[in-house]
Amino acid sequence: QVQLVQSGAEMKKPGASVKVSCKASGYTFTGYFVHWVRQAPGQGLEWMGRINPNSGDTNYAQKLQGRVTMTRDSSVNTAYMELSSLRSDDTAIYYCARERDFSTSRAIDYWGQGTLVTVSS
Amino acid sequence: DIQMTQTPSSLSACVGDRVTITCRASQNINTYLNWYQQKPGKAPSLLIYAASTLQSGVPSRFSGSGSGTDFTLTITSLQPEDFVTYYCQQSYSTPRTFGQGTKVEIK
């Protein structure tokens, strides 16, 4: 069965960086885009970007450009999201997710369990 | 960027009621519209994709409609487990964008 298993919770100080991993299993890792979505406490869903695990090509949300880097290691079926220059408003649950292409659309059909990143001095 | 406006932000209803949530895109997205359900403390889960196609395993009381810029999610005969939060999302282009969410509460 398809699974996305993320790394554990992180606590960071302002200005630091965090790297979250997302290990995929149960499907061909290089066949599906991996997206990253975050959710601040009590807030909605915010799309951060995506990576094509086959090519490594990425697209990032404009507001995070320059601070976010998405990478992958296909040898271990794992995607990574690194966020630098952390601020308190980066405190959120970070999700990785797989996007599937349907014949007339595309949608995220599997999500990781989420990783809580807390930024506090 | 495509803006997604979801209304209402919250609603109160009773078990057995029918409710409708609306999502409007700032430009034509054909049927590249998805609906997700999120239970407290959990990751979102896919309910409907391509505006009206039910994801496998989703109860038939959920339905979606629309194309272009205007879309609706309808839940007929609300069940206790349906009192959670729902999000629309466009997958027409990047950046992918979500609606603000609708929290369905028990009246």
Side-chain angles (χ1 to χ4, degrees):
Chain A
Q1 72 283 22
V2 174
Q3 280 193 301
L4 298 170
V5 179
Q6 299 182 224
S7 49
E10 302 263 13
M11 185 163 288
K12 296 291 183 181
K13 294 193 181 305
S17 297
V18 68
K19 190 170 186 177
V20 179
S21 67
C22 171
K23 184 169 178 60
S25 61
Y27 72 98
T28 302
F29 178 66
T30 52
Y32 299 81
F33 279 83
V34 173
H35 293 245
W36 291 87
V37 175
R38 70 179 180 177
Q39 187 170 37
Q43 302 302 306
L45 302 170
E46 179 185 13
W47 185 82
M48 300 179 67
R50 70 174 184 178
I51 183 167
N52 180 337
N54 188 42
S55 65
D57 289 344
T58 55
N59 299 100
Y60 300 137
Q62 181 72 25
K63 70 176 283 190
L64 297 173
Q65 285 274 4
R67 289 207 300 137
V68 67
T69 305
M70 296 177 187
T71 57
R72 92 294 188 209
D73 183 343
S74 299
S75 69
V76 290
N77 292 345
T78 301
Y80 303 92
M81 186 285 301
E82 184 169 21
L83 190 61
S84 62
S85 302
L86 288 168
R87 310 188 288 249
S88 58
D89 62 357
D90 291 318
T91 294
I93 297 173
Y94 289 75
Y95 294 103
C96 66
R98 183 188 88 159
E99 185 178 73
R100 177 181 168 183
D101 264 329
F102 298 93
S103 58
T104 56
S105 190
R106 42 189 169 250
I108 290 173
D109 62 346
Y110 285 94
W111 298 71
Q113 83 275 20
T115 296
L116 175 62
V117 175
T118 304
V119 183
S120 174
S121 54
Chain B
D1 297 1
I2 299 174
Q3 308 305 317
M4 304 302 294
T5 302
Q6 186 177 341
T7 56
S9 56
S10 66
L11 64 90
S12 295
C14 298
V15 172
D17 281 356
R18 171 190 172 109
V19 299
T20 297
I21 299 168
T22 297
C23 191
R24 174 165 287 177
S26 60
Q27 66 183 71
N28 183 2
I29 58 171
N30 294 325
T31 56
Y32 285 80
L33 189 283
N34 309 308
W35 291 97
Y36 299 91
Q37 178 190 67
Q38 187 176 32
K39 299 179 179 179
K42 299 294 186 182
S45 63
L46 180 63
L47 282 179
I48 288 170
Y49 62 91
S52 62
T53 305
L54 225 57
Q55 171 69 334
S56 175
V58 173
S60 59
R61 62 181 180 272
F62 292 92
S63 65
S65 65
S67 67
T69 60
D70 294 316
F71 303 87
T72 58
L73 170 69
T74 299
I75 313 170
T76 57
S77 189
L78 273 170
Q79 298 302 298
E81 61 268 28
D82 300 338
F83 291 90
V84 293
T85 303
Y86 298 86
Y87 294 93
C88 62
Q89 181 225 18
Q90 65 81 17
S91 56
Y92 184 81
S93 64
T94 57
R96 302 283 193 258
T97 40
F98 292 89
Q100 300 91 327
T102 296
K103 186 173 184 179
V104 178
E105 299 174 306
I106 298 177
K107 185 184 288 185

